[in-house]
Every structure is written in C-alpha cells, then in structure tokens.
Amino acid sequence: MSFLDLLYFIVPATIAYAAPLIFTAIGGVFSERSGVVNIGLEGLMVMGAFIGILFNLLYADTFGSWTPWIALLVAMVVSAVFSILHAVASISFRADQVVSGVAINMLGIAIALFSVKMIFGKGQTDLIQQKIARFDIPILQDIPIIGPMFFKSVYGSSILAISVALVAWFVIYKTPFGLRLRSVGEHPMAADTMGINVTRTRYVAVIISGALAGIGGAVYAITTTNDFGHATINGQGFMALAALIFGKWHPIGAMGAALFFGFAQALAISASKIPYIQDVPTVYLHILPYVLTILALAGFIGRANAPKAIGQPYIKGRR
Amino acid sequence: MPNRVLKILVPIISIILGLFVGAIVMWMSGYDAINGYIALWHGIFGSSYAIGETIRQISPYLLAGLAVAFAFRTGLFNIGVEGQLIVGWFAAAYVGMAFQLPTFIHLPLALLAAAAAGALWALVPGILKATLRVHEVIVTIMMNYVALHIVNALISTISGGSYKIDRIHQTASLRSEFLSNLTDFSTLHYGILIALLMVGVMWFILEKTKTGYELKAVGFNDHASQYAGMNVNKNIVLSMVISGAFAGLGGAMEALGTFGNISTMAGFTGIGFDGIAVALLGANTPLGVVFGATLFGSLKYGANNMPNAAGVPIEIVSIVIALIIFFVASGYIIRVLLNRMSKKKEAK
C-alpha cells in the first residue's frame, strides 16, 4: 500500500470515528464551562445510541432514507430530557457531581438494556437497515489529493459534527449567552451579582450537553455498530470527556482532540495493513488515547485551566 | 434532627425510594413488581445454596467498597477501583497458575500479588495528584481502560492466543469443601473471611494508628493538616496505595475463589463502579461498607432468579442500584425534607 493510499484510507476513517466524539465532547464543553462536571457523558451517549437504533428499527418503513436523521433528532431530545436528572441532582439538590454522573452512566446502560430485553427479548437489537448514507461532495472531490481524502464518501453526520464545533465556538466566545455561561463557571457569585441567573444558565448548559451527547451516541451506533447491545458504547463517553480536557475546555481544541482520538482508533483498527505500525502490538494503540490524556493532564502538553467553579454547587448567599 | 440519625436515615430512605421507583418501572413495563421482588427475595435467601452464592458475591463488593471508602476518607475519589480490581484479578490468577508451591506459601503469595498489583495501579494517580495536583478522577478513569486493554493483551500472550489462561493450581485456591458442603454445594469460598478481615484492617488503620489519624485529618482539611506539620503529599499517595491494595484483593476473590482463572473481558466487570455505591451507602465507614456490600451483593446475585421466576429482566436491579446511588448523592434534599417534617411535628 502506498503512502497516499494509506492516507485515502485512514483520513476518512479518522473523521468517521471522530464525529461522535466531537458531538459529545462539545456537549461536555458546555456543561463544564458552566461549572457542572459531566462524567455522565457515557450514559447520555448510551441513551442516544439506544434511542437512535430503536427509532431506526421501528420507523424505517415510515420514513425511508430520512430515518437515520430523524433518529438523531429523537435521540437528541431523549438524551436532553435524560440529562435533566443530572442537572436536578447536581444543581438543585447539590449532589456530588461526580457521583451523580456515575449514577447517570449506570442508569443509562441499565434502562437501555432493560428496554432492549423487554422489546426484543434478547441482549441486543437487530441490525438497522437505514444507515447514514455516505456521499461525495461535488466539485470539491475533484481537488487532487485533498479531494479523495476529505470529500469522497463522507458521512453527512461528520460534516454536521464539524459545523457544531464551529457554532459552539461562536456561541461560547461571541454571544452574550456564551459570556454568561463562562462567567457562571468561573465565578458564580459575581455572575449572580450582575443579575445572571446561575441556576437557569447551568440547567441550559447541562441540557445542551445531554442533547449533543445523545446525537453523538446515536451517530456512533448508526454509522459504526448498526445495532445496540451492552458493549455498543464502551468508553466513547469517557474518551469524549478526555477530549474535552485534552482540548482545554475549548470547542475547537475539543474537536482537535476528538480528531486525534479518532485517528488513534482508526489506526488501531487498520494497524495490520500498515507497514511499520503492523509490528506494534495493537494493545499500545488501544491504550494510546488514555495514556496521552494522562500525560496531557500531567502538564507535558501545556497546562489546562479548568473553569474555576467546576464541581461546586452554587449556594446563594454563601461566600 | 440530629446529624447521627440523618446519616443512617438518608441511605435507608434512598434504598426504599430506589426499590419503589424500580417497582414503578416494572409496573409500567407490564411486569408484576410484587412477583419480581418475591423472586429477588427467593434468589437471595430461597435456599442454603442461594445463601452461599449470595455470600460469595458479597466478598468482592466488600473489598471494592473498602477501596472507595478508604480513599474517600482522605478526600480522594478513586473511580479506578475497577481497573485496580482487574489487574489484581490477573496478578492473582497468574501467580496461582505459574508457580507450584505448598499452600501456605502459594495462597498468601497470590493474594499479595493481587494487592501489590492493585496498589501499583493506584500509585500512578496518587503520585500525579500529590506532585502535580492532577485530578485523580480523570486519571483513574483512564487507568481503568489501560488496565482492561493491557490485561486482555497479557492473557492473550500468556495463553498463546487463547481467550483465557490455565486454571490456578489447587494450592492457590480459596475454594473450601467445608463451606461448599455447608451451603448445598455452592461455590462459597474462604474469600469472605479475607474480606471481613480487611474490614477489620481498615477500621484498625483508621481508628487505632497515627497514620490513620493523619489520613482522616488530610481528608477533613488538607491545609490545616499541612499547617499541623503533616506530610499531605505522602498521605495522598499512601491512601491511594492502600485503596488500590483493597481493590486488588477484590480481584483476587474472583481469581482464586469464584472463577479460578481469568478470561479476556469485552467490558468492565462493574464491581469497581458498584463499589462507589457500596461506599456511599456505608458513609465511608468500615461497618457501613459491610451493610452496603451485603445489600449490593444480595441484589446482584438475587437478580439472577428474576427472569426465570417472574419473567423480569435482570437489568431492573441495575436500574434500582443506579437509582439508589442517585438518591444517596441527592442526600441534601432528603435532609431538607426530613428536617421540615420534624419541625412541623415539633410545632404541633
């Protein structure tokens, strides 16, 4: 395989693997920027993946080729509603946000598997028939080298993911809402004094994170696994969490990190075909994203500054 | 309402709420909730065999709970119990398989290997926290995945490409004919005694030693401890290492007692994550962990009886467990409500 062939193979795979991570990590950026830790991303993704597959199986006949897209929307709504649990616990009930997140993770997988058993009578669903179609982007695909790499047989969901990252950057850094979001995460007291409704802002942020994680989970299930079982989302949510920390709580940074993790996954899957890499035991490629995250946290890649008020419930009137 | 009473009431109310919401879920899904819970009860206590299996299931939960609780007492959140348990499982299974020694050396050696492996796995987040102030939650989560992949790779290498390694030698086994016969040939093994011994060890360390006092002091207020001349960083590392050793022993229960070997895993065992719930319910005290582990071990084993006896999917118990964690975490609101109710009573 020539180097160029290799790139034609690995770049699209990288983007395909990165898309779910991008959605989810951006969701995490919203939540954590408002000061609410969201370890529950994994559970929210599980819920999204389950709903995405379930809707796809139930309504494929009704909606035809539109099914996967409507499935994404439904998954988004259901995960957003599910994330309200985390919001209520960690914002209103002052629960430990990490514990609440752990509960969300367990609850997500438990509810999804319970429902699968109930509906299908077995541990996993059937395979879906309506998948997200790959398509070639006209004109751009004819650009030499770059065309086949980035614009041939791409998933619509990947383009959507990258747009979401750009929109998130604009929202967080260029709009009044973004300013409020960041101030609530840095210094809720000061924000409250300035008339910003801390509780409402945090609720909105957590719900956005649920919505995006729901899309992320559904995209992963619909493009990669095509069914839902107990191992469908195995650590994707935690990887998204890692991407957001790796990306220093910045939407574009998170996207970059997600792309990198996508690359690591694509590499691990296709390692056997690549010269040199095929001699590296796959276990090193599997643990690469996690080890890198630990190194990044340890400051070898530059200190990341988490939002200052992260993890603390805001209690009005207490200094 | 006095704080002591609240500390016991909040977990109890959480358990009741969890079971209640679980019943609603069953009822809404068209299952008979009462039959479901009766099946659960029979699954736990129905026969001496069931009781034996339930107790067997409790031992890893005890150790996982101790691990989380111990770290928590120093103000550390060890979500990496799962990974530490997996490396402990592997270490015990490997030592049990690879050596041929008399029992009185072999068994302690295998247990020690498991504890050491778990401790080593927890050492990394401990050191990173102590020296670079890296948050242990994220590091321990990442270490879980590293453990899973590395152990799977090691199993494959050692067994020459197979999905499991050879069984441990009899000399390293925790299996007990006596306990097995006592409980109608269940797989109950001596692990439960080791787990209970460790409950005592944790109590002793925390309540009777200088180290334990320092660990607790650091957990309460690390600045004050520093000012009082305690070495906060050393205590952080020490706490993680001891916590990891408990978790590693939890893996040894599975390796030397229940399964007698280790196979590659598609995902996590879940015991380490449930350990968080066990510790939370037990308010991070040794005795509390015994109650928490008993509850979760029983629920987990008893659930196996639900599909056959009542047609309810096993996963309902996972839902109940998750809900209980959720309610315990939201203890603040339960306290507020309880206080309001007790004030109303006083007003009357």
Side-chain angles (χ1 to χ4, degrees):
Chain A
M1 202 194 280
S2 78
F3 184 64
L4 207 59
D5 284 339
L6 187 64
L7 281 182
Y8 289 164
F9 176 75
I10 208 131
V11 172
T14 296
I15 298 173
Y17 275 111
L21 293 178
I22 296 176
F23 282 115
T24 311
I26 300 290
V29 169
F30 275 96
S31 169
E32 304 224 336
R33 274 288 178 183
S34 80
V36 182
V37 178
N38 203 341
I39 297 229
L41 288 176
E42 174 94 359
L44 296 167
M45 270 186 102
V46 167
M47 194 48 90
F50 164 62
I51 296 294
I53 294 291
L54 184 68
F55 183 87
N56 201 317
L57 285 171
L58 293 181
Y59 293 98
D61 294 337
T62 321
F63 296 109
S65 61
W66 280 98
T67 315
W69 295 101
I70 303 171
L72 289 191
L73 271 181
V74 177
M76 178 186 90
V77 173
V78 172
S79 282
V81 171
F82 186 48
S83 70
I84 294 175
L85 272 181
H86 182 53
V88 171
S90 54
I91 302 167
S92 298
F93 292 175
R94 301 179 195 174
D96 187 308
Q97 296 169 4
V98 175
V99 177
S100 166
V102 170
I104 288 285
N105 287 337
M106 296 174 80
L107 201 58
I109 190 99
I111 291 177
L113 287 180
F114 180 79
S115 312
V116 166
K117 279 259 179 75
M118 216 175 65
I119 299 168
F120 298 91
K122 53 182 179 177
Q124 68 192 77
T125 68
D126 303 324
L127 286 172
I128 53 168
Q129 299 307 322
Q130 292 291 345
K131 299 163 193 170
I132 292 182
R134 289 166 175 254
F135 63 96
D136 301 336
I137 300 173
I139 306 169
L140 287 175
Q141 64 156 320
D142 298 328
I143 304 173
I145 303 177
I146 297 177
M149 234 189 280
F150 293 103
F151 303 114
K152 260 204 166 132
S153 77
V154 288
Y155 287 114
S157 50
S158 304
I159 299 171
L160 188 65
I162 292 165
S163 336
V164 162
L166 296 173
V167 170
W169 168 80
F170 183 81
V171 169
I172 292 175
Y173 285 98
K174 302 289 167 190
T175 64
F177 170 75
L179 186 63
R180 277 184 225 133
L181 182 81
R182 283 179 291 140
S183 67
V184 162
E186 294 292 332
H187 204 314
M189 243 314 249
D192 196 8
T193 315
M194 296 304 290
I196 298 169
N197 188 333
V198 175
T199 306
R200 193 175 65 200
T201 311
R202 286 190 167 176
Y203 263 88
V204 171
V206 172
I207 291 169
I208 292 176
S209 81
L212 288 176
I215 300 181
V219 166
Y220 186 80
I222 293 175
T223 58
T224 309
T225 58
N226 295 326
D227 67 353
F228 181 84
H230 73 99
T232 299
I233 305 288
N234 192 2
Q236 292 286 319
F238 289 114
M239 236 193 245
L241 191 71
L244 104 93
I245 293 166
F246 209 45
K248 300 181 179 176
W249 287 271
H250 190 289
I252 306 299
M255 179 176 72
L259 280 167
F260 179 78
F261 289 166
F263 175 69
Q265 288 186 57
L267 207 60
I269 303 262
S270 53
S272 58
K273 295 176 205 152
I274 307 169
Y276 302 115
I277 306 280
Q278 65 194 3
D279 302 327
V280 178
T282 45
V283 61
Y284 292 112
L285 301 170
H286 281 304
I287 65 173
L288 186 68
Y290 308 113
V291 173
L292 275 172
T293 305
I294 295 174
L295 291 178
L297 279 169
F300 291 110
I301 306 171
R303 267 240 169 271
N305 286 319
K308 283 218 176 54
I310 201 160
Q312 298 153 6
Y314 175 62
I315 300 162
K316 227 178 163 81
R318 198 176 78 173
R319 287 196 297 153
Chain B
M1 212 177 268
N3 214 20
R4 254 216 143 94
V5 181
L6 276 177
K7 242 187 188 161
I8 300 172
L9 262 185
V10 168
I12 291 177
I13 291 176
S14 301
I15 294 167
I16 295 171
L17 279 176
L19 289 170
F20 182 68
V21 177
I24 294 178
V25 172
M26 278 193 267
W27 175 69
M28 282 196 334
S29 321
Y31 297 113
D32 186 341
I34 293 171
N35 269 344
Y37 281 139
I38 289 175
L40 181 67
W41 182 264
H42 281 300
I44 302 167
F45 301 108
S47 60
S48 61
Y49 175 83
I51 293 175
E53 290 292 323
T54 303
I55 297 174
R56 192 258 305 153
Q57 186 74 55
I58 290 169
S59 24
Y61 280 106
L62 264 177
L63 288 158
L66 288 182
V68 179
F70 197 89
F72 217 102
R73 290 301 277 271
T74 333
L76 294 169
F77 209 142
N78 185 4
I79 299 198
V81 171
E82 183 72 36
Q84 292 145 20
L85 189 135
I86 291 174
V87 293
W89 186 338
F90 174 79
Y94 180 76
V95 171
M97 173 208 77
F99 299 102
Q100 276 195 310
L101 297 162
T103 301
F104 71 97
I105 303 175
H106 202 176
L107 182 56
L109 189 70
L111 289 170
L112 211 62
L120 194 71
W121 217 249
L123 183 67
V124 177
I127 287 181
L128 286 175
K129 170 85 177 187
T131 55
L132 296 164
R133 297 277 158 236
V134 182
H135 207 295
E136 74 280 5
V137 166
I138 307 291
V139 179
T140 49
I141 288 176
M142 298 301 140
M143 292 293 286
N144 284 342
Y145 286 95
V146 177
L148 185 66
H149 288 299
I150 287 188
V151 164
N152 276 347
L154 283 174
I155 292 169
S156 172
T157 311
I158 289 172
S159 64
S162 169
Y163 68 96
K164 61 176 185 194
I165 66 175
D166 292 337
R167 292 189 66 83
I168 56 169
H169 292 293
Q170 203 51 45
T171 46
S173 176
L174 281 169
R175 285 282 172 86
S176 132
E177 248 176 61
F178 169 68
L179 289 177
S180 181
N181 288 338
L182 202 66
T183 52
D184 203 12
F185 306 107
S186 77
T187 54
L188 182 61
H189 54 77
Y190 285 129
I192 187 73
L193 300 180
I194 293 172
L196 287 173
L197 182 72
M198 287 303 133
V199 173
V201 168
M202 172 167 163
W203 173 82
F204 184 80
I205 295 177
L206 283 179
E207 305 300 333
K208 296 289 162 199
T209 64
K210 178 170 156 267
T211 317
Y213 180 79
E214 287 195 8
L215 288 172
K216 282 190 291 181
V218 170
F220 276 124
N221 189 334
D222 54 339
H223 296 295
S225 312
Q226 182 105 38
Y227 186 70
M230 294 176 196
N231 188 338
V232 170
N233 288 346
K234 193 194 86 187
N235 280 316
I236 287 174
V237 177
L238 188 65
S239 168
M240 279 307 276
V241 166
I242 295 175
S243 167
F246 283 138
L249 279 177
M253 298 296 107
E254 305 294 78
L256 308 177
T258 308
F259 293 98
N261 67 355
I262 185 167
S263 343
T264 52
M265 303 173 199
F268 291 123
T269 65
I271 299 170
F273 297 119
D274 290 341
I276 299 169
V278 170
L280 272 177
L281 265 188
N284 302 310
T285 61
L287 192 63
V289 166
V290 176
F291 289 115
T294 307
L295 178 75
F296 282 102
S298 310
L299 285 179
K300 277 277 163 154
Y301 181 74
N304 294 325
N305 190 39
M306 292 176 83
N308 284 332
V312 182
I314 258 182
E315 283 76 14
I316 187 70
V317 161
S318 308
I319 296 182
V320 170
I321 288 180
L323 286 169
I324 293 175
I325 302 182
F326 200 77
F327 291 127
V328 176
S330 308
Y332 162 76
I333 198 75
I334 298 179
R335 278 157 195 259
V336 169
L337 291 177
L338 282 176
N339 271 331
R340 251 187 221 161
M341 285 199 299
S342 68
K343 262 181 204 148
K344 258 187 200 157
K345 260 186 201 158
E346 277 165 28
K348 272 178 193 170

